[in-house]
Amino acid sequence: AAFDGEGYLYVSDYLNFRIQVFDEAGDLDLVFGAAGVRPGDLIRPRGLAADAANGVLYVVDGAFQLVQMFNLDGELLMWFGVPGQGPGQFSLPSGVALRGDLLVVGDTLNHRLQLFRFLGVPE
């Protein structure tokens, strides 16, 4: 789960292949995601981080071995990562943290953290 700084809570609903968003009062505001194999689908959503300043939600998917970037309305912006051991490659990514424009991804089976810098919202 992660807060976005605007009071919204984002929850990774792992076994239901979706993200749930709750407002400051705790009311369900948005649900997005579905099981599938297309970009924007979720198989094993794990860690997430919300960047309200840039309007981006980062979602780590352990099955796809990548990080998907959504806008705060749940629309896919882009994704990055592939299976492997090199830079930008993951083996069971499980967590993500955000501080400023620095994104840290926990790369579990590669026994490391990978650092990425946010360069702006994709066009």
Side-chain angles (χ1 to χ4, degrees):
F3 285 99
D4 70 359
E6 302 290 325
Y8 286 88
L9 173 65
Y10 297 80
V11 177
S12 175
D13 191 354
Y14 182 80
L15 294 177
N16 289 312
F17 319 106
R18 64 185 183 182
I19 305 299
Q20 297 183 62
V21 184
F22 298 89
D23 65 18
E24 289 182 275
D27 296 321
L28 185 63
D29 185 65
L30 176 68
V31 175
F32 68 92
V37 296
R38 297 171 301 165
D41 290 340
L42 301 168
I43 294 295
R44 293 290 181 253
R46 298 175 67 87
L48 47 81
D51 179 359
N54 291 302
V56 176
L57 178 69
Y58 299 91
V59 179
V60 174
D61 195 299
F64 287 141
Q65 314 292 344
L66 53 70
V67 177
Q68 296 192 71
M69 297 169 62
F70 296 90
N71 68 20
L72 298 182
D73 293 322
E75 298 168 348
L76 181 67
L77 299 172
M78 66 175 284
W79 67 92
F80 62 92
V82 295
Q85 298 176 342
Q89 299 176 339
F90 301 107
S91 184
L92 191 60
S94 58
V96 62
L98 184 65
R99 182 166 187 179
D101 64 351
L102 187 63
L103 183 74
V104 181
V105 179
D107 190 6
T108 306
L109 296 181
N110 284 325
H111 309 287
R112 65 183 178 182
L113 298 172
Q114 291 197 62
L115 306 176
F116 301 91
R117 186 163 311 276
F118 181 72
L119 299 176
V121 177
E123 297 292 325

Short mmCIF file of all heavy atoms in Angstrom, two decimals, residues 4 21 44 112:
data_model
loop_
_atom_site.label_atom_id
_atom_site.label_comp_id
_atom_site.label_asym_id
_atom_site.label_seq_id
_atom_site.Cartn_x
_atom_site.Cartn_y
_atom_site.Cartn_z
N ASP A 4 -0.42 8.83 -1.69
CA ASP A 4 0.11 9.67 -2.76
C ASP A 4 0.43 11.10 -2.35
O ASP A 4 0.83 11.90 -3.15
CB ASP A 4 -0.86 9.69 -3.95
CG ASP A 4 -2.15 10.44 -3.68
OD1 ASP A 4 -2.34 10.97 -2.56
OD2 ASP A 4 -2.99 10.50 -4.60
N VAL A 21 -8.09 2.01 -5.01
CA VAL A 21 -7.75 3.36 -4.56
C VAL A 21 -8.84 3.85 -3.63
O VAL A 21 -10.03 3.83 -3.99
CB VAL A 21 -7.61 4.32 -5.76
CG1 VAL A 21 -7.15 5.69 -5.29
CG2 VAL A 21 -6.66 3.75 -6.82
N ARG A 44 0.69 -10.49 -10.97
CA ARG A 44 1.08 -10.52 -9.56
C ARG A 44 1.53 -9.12 -9.13
O ARG A 44 2.71 -8.88 -8.90
CB ARG A 44 2.21 -11.53 -9.32
CG ARG A 44 1.78 -12.96 -9.53
CD ARG A 44 0.82 -13.41 -8.42
NE ARG A 44 0.42 -14.78 -8.61
CZ ARG A 44 -0.78 -15.15 -9.01
NH1 ARG A 44 -1.69 -14.26 -9.29
NH2 ARG A 44 -1.09 -16.42 -9.14
N ARG A 112 19.30 -7.62 -5.03
CA ARG A 112 19.80 -6.25 -5.21
C ARG A 112 18.65 -5.26 -5.24
O ARG A 112 17.48 -5.62 -5.34
CB ARG A 112 20.59 -6.14 -6.51
CG ARG A 112 19.72 -6.37 -7.74
CD ARG A 112 20.51 -6.34 -9.02
NE ARG A 112 19.63 -6.62 -10.16
CZ ARG A 112 20.04 -6.70 -11.40
NH1 ARG A 112 21.33 -6.53 -11.68
NH2 ARG A 112 19.20 -6.95 -12.37
#
